[in-house]
Amino acid sequence: MADLQDDLYPAGEVGSVDELTEPYPAEAVVVPAEPCQPVSDPDDAPLTRARAVLAAHPVADGYSGLPWALRRLPYYDLDLGESAVDADVPRLRKGQVGAVFWSLHLPEGPGALRAGDAVAATLDQLDLAKGVVAAHAEGLRPARTAGQVTDARNCGLVAVLFGPAQAAALGDSLGVLRSLHALGLRVLTLTGTTWANAAGLTRFGEEVVREMNRVGMIADLSYASSETVRRALTVSKAPVLFSRSAARTLRPHPANLPDDLLAAVGEARGLVMVPLTAEQTGPTVRDVADHLDHVRSLAGPECVGLSGTYDTGSAHPQELGDTSCYPRLIAELLRRGWEESEVALLTWGNVQRVLRGADFTARTAQQRRPPSTATIADLDG
């Protein structure tokens, strides 16, 4: 029943609340971010409204590098607070974050990872992530479905979804894909393999997408080539997402999307999650809001989300130094005339739609086809 009770306040009733980067290398240097300091605001009404909206529709953060960042620390306590990272339970609650996707991306660069080790490295990160959540059960709860995410929020906990992981984690095996999904992996980034490359998806790559649809794993297309994006939008029957992509028209970056692809994502009912990094969106909160405006105008308000990209070694815009700062970004959008119902979609509703869409597609596909036994040798030669 939790699936049918997404929000405490439906998007259309939010007004009533007022009355009440490339995957980071192994040796990445974490850029210290200034904490979210109080800022003098001649008009605090938007910030008050932002907090009211977020109380009913908290942020679903599309990308966090926290599991990898914690590997460097000999000791940490996310429940009490941890100054060595950008996201701990107190700051997640202050920023009114209700759900977060934990990246399991792998290090890159010469010598970072030996050939054939991607599967084991991903399993190690997944095991670490599960252990972190279990050790902080008073603040965090693992989740896989829209209903479980909502249940966690209603219990005052932050839902943690595992992924995205890199496509190399499959080891070119659909059996490994199913095993990773059974272990809790929710999102897979389709790039960096022979079957998802600059030329697009190969026949095996298309079969990977179909099998992801069948099990309910979501395709992440950030950093994928334009050809891969277009083919994935055609092949996938479930919504796809871009875990950290903004508007290339406003800021050139390999993960940002040109206007024609933003429009195509809107037509396919995908989700573009705009990152809060200075490199991709700019140095100020207004720059981030500009990207959100642009994506909304081309893809539609139902196809834009937020991606903190905290704890990845990236520098963040002013006033958005850690996860406690989300209300200031929402206040900026409200000043620009965003409807509270649109903000509710941005922060919470659109991620829930994608999660539900993936689960619905999986239930349908499982009735129509058995698990695929195809191999890369069979399809790509």
Side-chain angles (χ1 to χ4, degrees), residues 58-84:
V59 172
D61 185 334
Y63 195 98
S64 168
L66 186 61
W68 186 265
L70 293 176
R71 291 168 61 100
R72 302 187 306 271
L73 304 181
Y75 173 81
Y76 52 85
D77 190 326
L78 300 180
D79 285 331
L80 292 178
E82 182 53 66
S83 61

Side-chain angles (χ1 to χ4, degrees), residues 16-75:
S16 64
V17 178
D18 287 335
E19 300 172 8
L20 307 169
T21 55
E22 286 280 343
Y24 37 94
E27 303 299 326
V29 178
V30 175
V31 180
E34 295 183 2
C36 188
Q37 300 291 346
V39 178
S40 176
D41 190 344
D43 179 11
D44 281 336
L47 190 55
T48 300
R49 289 172 60 206
R51 288 176 175 143
V53 175
L54 289 174
H57 304 276
V59 172
D61 185 334
Y63 195 98
S64 168
L66 186 61
W68 186 265
L70 293 176
R71 291 168 61 100
R72 302 187 306 271
L73 304 181
Y75 173 81

Side-chain angles (χ1 to χ4, degrees), residues 232 254 353:
R353 174 183 64 80

Side-chain angles (χ1 to χ4, degrees), residues 149-231:
V149 168
T150 299
D151 286 345
R153 181 203 60 180
N154 291 347
C155 292
L157 303 175
V158 179
V160 178
L161 300 103
F162 301 123
Q166 286 177 250
L170 302 189
D172 298 337
S173 168
L174 297 179
V176 172
L177 185 155
R178 289 188 287 271
S179 296
L180 287 171
H181 178 264
L183 291 171
L185 184 65
R186 203 66 176 93
V187 184
L188 186 76
T189 302
L190 302 185
T191 186
T193 68
T194 59
W195 47 266
N197 53 42
L201 292 175
T202 65
R203 291 178 62 202
F204 182 74
E206 293 178 2
E207 187 69 1
V208 169
V209 173
R210 284 189 284 267
E211 191 63 11
M212 290 173 69
N213 284 177
R214 199 192 68 82
V215 300
M217 191 179 292
I218 301 167
D220 170 26
L221 298 173
S222 282
Y223 285 95
S225 67
S226 296
E227 291 74 13
T228 295
V229 171
R230 292 189 184 281
R231 191 59 190 154

Side-chain angles (χ1 to χ4, degrees), residues 110-121:
L113 196 67
R114 291 179 302 175
D117 284 354
V119 178

Side-chain angles (χ1 to χ4, degrees), residues 343-379:
V343 172
L345 290 174
L346 170 77
T347 59
W348 186 257
N350 290 338
V351 168
Q352 288 289 84
R353 174 183 64 80
V354 170
L355 290 172
R356 282 205 179 96
D359 290 339
F360 177 81
T361 301
R363 288 194 296 269
T364 302
Q366 287 167 17
Q367 295 174 3
R368 296 178 176 175
R369 55 176 284 179
S372 175
T373 58
T375 68
I376 192 168
D378 292 335
L379 299 180

